[in-house]
Amino acid sequence: MSQQITVYTSKSCPYAHRVELALVEAKADCTRYQIDLRNKPDWYAPKVNPVSKVPALAYGGPPVPADQPSPESTKLTESLVLVEFIADLFPESGILPKDPVLRAKARLFADAVSNKLVPAQVAVLIRDEDPEQLVQAYEAIQALLPPQGFALGPFSAADIAAAPFLARIELNLANDLGGFPANEGKGPKILELLHAPKLARMQQYLKDIRGHPSFVATFDEASRSVTLHFLCGHGH
Amino acid sequence: MSQQITLYTAKICPYAHRAEIALAEAKVEYTRFEIDLRNKPDWYVPKVNPVGKVPAIAYGGPTVPADQPSPESTKLVESLVLVEFIADLFPESGILPKDPVLRAKARLFVDAVSNKVSPAQAAVLIRGEDPEQLVQAYEAVQALLPPQGFAIGEFSAADIAIAPFLARIELNLANDLGGFPADQGEGPKILELLRAPKLARLQQYFKDIQARPSFATTFDKEHVLASSKRRFAELRAKKYGA
C-alpha cells in the first residue's frame, strides 16, 4: 500500500528525532541515512532539501541508494508535517487517534511545544537568558497533561513533538552544557528549578517518555552524540 | 454524526476568517458568534478562551445560547488546528484530500504562510518595514503553486490558510492603510510591487481565491475596511502623533 521511505536524519537533531519516533511507532520499513550536519554531502541540498536541514523524507520512486536520491521520489520536510504524514500513511499506528477532538488536542499540545517549550529552550540553554522562561514553559506543558499517562493518555504525536526537546534539555543541563559559562554549576542549578515539587507531574511525564519503547529505541545511542553536538557549539 | 459547533469569531480577524471559510467549505450548520475584540464580553475569557482571542470553537455539549457557553462543550483554539478539526469532522468536504502526499503538501504550504507571509505582513503593514520582505514572501508562496488552480490543485486547507491574509493585505494597501505614514501614497506603491509582472501567477491565484464562494460569503469587505481605517488611524496617531 505505501511506497519506499528514506529518511535523512541526524541523531543530535531533536526535529529529526521526532520523525524517527514516528517511524518506530508506525513499525515502518524504511531506510535511515545519517547526515553529518557539520559536513553535509554535496548532493543533499540539490537532491533532497534545498534548505539543507534535517529531517527530510524521500517517498516513493524507484529503489535507489539513499545517497543517490531519485528525482522521481517526493521530497518532504518539516518535522511536524512529516509526523502527520507518517500518521496518515500508517493510521493504525495510533500516532494520531481517530477521534477529531483528540486529534485537535494532540495538535494543540504540539503547538504549545512549538510556541512555548522550543523558544524557552533556545532562550535559556543557548542564549543564557533567565531560566524562569523555561520553568514557565514546563508549567504550561504540564498544565495540558492528564493526571497520568501521556498527553492524550496513550502515546501520540503530541508526545513525539515534545520528547526530543525535553530529553535534550534535561541531558544538556545535567551535563552543565549550554550557552551559559561552563564550570559554574549553572546547568544543574537550572535543572533543580525544573525538578521543583510544583513540576512533579512533568518529571513523571519525562520518566514515562524515557521508558517508552520508541524513545528507548531512538535516543539511547543518540544521547552521546547530543552532548558531543553541544560541545561543538552547534545547538540550535 | 457530529455534534453542535459554535464558532467565536470576528470579521476583521484573518485567523478567525480561516475557520469561517473551512466551515463554509464543509457546508455545515453551526452557530456563529461575533466577538467585538475591542470590547470583549466578560464571560469570554473564563468560559471560552483564557487567552481572550478568536477564533475559538465550542464543540458538543448541550444546546445553549452562544453567550452562555456550557462547561460540557470542548473548547478548541488555534486557527490551523481548527481547520484540521473541521477537515477531520467532515472528511468529504475536501478541505484535506485523502492522499497522504497531498495532505503533506497542503501542510507545507500552510507552513510557508505561517513562516513567511504572516511575519512579512506584520513587518511591512504594521511596523512599516521594507516592502521587499512582502515581495519575497509572495515569491516564496508563488513558487509553491502549480501552473494553475489552487495550491494542491483543488481548493484546500492550504488556500484557506492564506486567503484571509492576502485579502487583508490587498485591501489595506489599496486604501493606503498601514503602519507607514498616511497620505504619501505608500500603500498603493507597495501594492504596485506586489502586482509586478513577476508575481502574475500569485495575482491569478488571488483572483481564483476571491471567486471561491466560501471566501466571498465570509469576507465582509466594508466592515473589514471600516475597522482597518479605525485601527490604523489609532496606530498612526501613536506612532507619528495626531
Side-chain angles (χ1 to χ4, degrees), chain A residues 77 84 88 103 107-108, chain B residues 77 84 88 100 103 107-108:
Chain A
T77 56
E84 292 258 6
D88 283 340
R103 290 165 75 91
R107 290 168 178 140
L108 286 172
Chain B
V77 295
E84 291 259 5
D88 283 339
R103 289 164 76 92
R107 290 170 177 139
L108 286 172

Side-chain angles (χ1 to χ4, degrees), chain B residues 18-91:
Chain B
R18 287 168 166 171
E20 295 203 40
I21 297 173
L23 286 163
E25 285 288 323
K27 297 184 173 44
V28 59
E29 259 186 56
Y30 72 97
T31 304
R32 184 189 178 286
F33 191 88
E34 178 83 14
I35 295 285
D36 180 350
L37 294 173
R38 289 167 311 147
N39 190 19
K40 291 168 206 171
D42 51 26
W43 48 263
Y44 188 66
V45 165
K47 297 200 170 182
V48 180
N49 185 2
V51 185
K53 298 201 275 193
V54 292
I57 280 182
Y59 179 69
T63 313
V64 292
D67 58 359
Q68 292 170 50
S70 160
E72 290 175 59
S73 56
T74 303
K75 313 303 185 294
L76 299 171
V77 295
E78 294 303 324
S79 64
L80 299 176
V81 173
L82 295 179
V83 172
E84 291 259 5
F85 177 62
I86 295 157
D88 283 339
L89 283 177
F90 306 102

Side-chain angles (χ1 to χ4, degrees), chain B:
Chain B
M1 190 103 320
S2 80
Q3 305 170 48
Q4 77 78 28
I5 298 170
T6 302
L7 176 74
Y8 298 89
T9 182
K11 286 180 178 183
I12 63 164
C13 176
Y15 299 95
H17 192 183
R18 287 168 166 171
E20 295 203 40
I21 297 173
L23 286 163
E25 285 288 323
K27 297 184 173 44
V28 59
E29 259 186 56
Y30 72 97
T31 304
R32 184 189 178 286
F33 191 88
E34 178 83 14
I35 295 285
D36 180 350
L37 294 173
R38 289 167 311 147
N39 190 19
K40 291 168 206 171
D42 51 26
W43 48 263
Y44 188 66
V45 165
K47 297 200 170 182
V48 180
N49 185 2
V51 185
K53 298 201 275 193
V54 292
I57 280 182
Y59 179 69
T63 313
V64 292
D67 58 359
Q68 292 170 50
S70 160
E72 290 175 59
S73 56
T74 303
K75 313 303 185 294
L76 299 171
V77 295
E78 294 303 324
S79 64
L80 299 176
V81 173
L82 295 179
V83 172
E84 291 259 5
F85 177 62
I86 295 157
D88 283 339
L89 283 177
F90 306 102
E92 300 316 311
S93 63
I95 294 169
L96 279 169
K98 300 206 188 308
D99 175 59
V101 168
L102 288 176
R103 289 164 76 92
K105 288 185 169 179
R107 290 170 177 139
L108 286 172
F109 189 90
V110 171
D111 215 69
V113 176
S114 298
N115 294 334
K116 302 201 164 137
V117 176
S118 293
Q121 178 256 137
V124 176
L125 266 88
I126 297 170
R127 299 196 302 269
E129 292 176 21
D130 186 354
E132 183 58 22
Q133 294 183 63
L134 199 48
V135 174
Q136 285 178 15
Y138 270 36
E139 283 181 302
V141 166
Q142 183 177 255
L144 299 174
L145 295 173
Q148 53 227 19
F150 293 108
I152 57 170
E154 296 298 313
F155 189 83
S156 75
D159 316 297
I160 291 175
I162 200 174
F165 286 87
L166 289 180
R168 285 161 181 74
I169 289 168
E170 300 261 330
L171 182 68
N172 287 327
L173 292 176
N175 287 275
D176 198 25
L177 293 170
F180 40 80
D183 303 323
Q184 293 177 21
E186 277 282 330
K189 253 185 253 160
I190 299 171
L191 197 55
E192 254 194 76
L193 295 175
L194 301 179
R195 290 183 178 165
K198 69 178 176 176
L199 285 171
R201 175 68 187 95
L202 194 80
Q203 284 304 320
Q204 179 60 48
Y205 173 62
F206 181 48
K207 248 191 172 129
D208 295 339
I209 282 176
Q210 288 170 293
R212 186 83 181 176
S214 61
F215 171 83
T217 57
T218 56
F219 190 53
D220 185 344
K221 215 171 179 178
E222 294 317 308
H223 180 105
V224 173
L225 182 59
S227 287
S228 280
K229 283 182 175 163
R230 199 170 32 224
R231 176 199 188 188
F232 286 110
E234 286 168 17
L235 184 74
R236 281 164 165 166
K238 252 190 238 165
K239 214 175 171 183
Y240 305 110

Side-chain angles (χ1 to χ4, degrees), chain A residues 58-71:
Chain A
Y59 181 69
V64 291
D67 58 0
Q68 292 170 49
S70 160

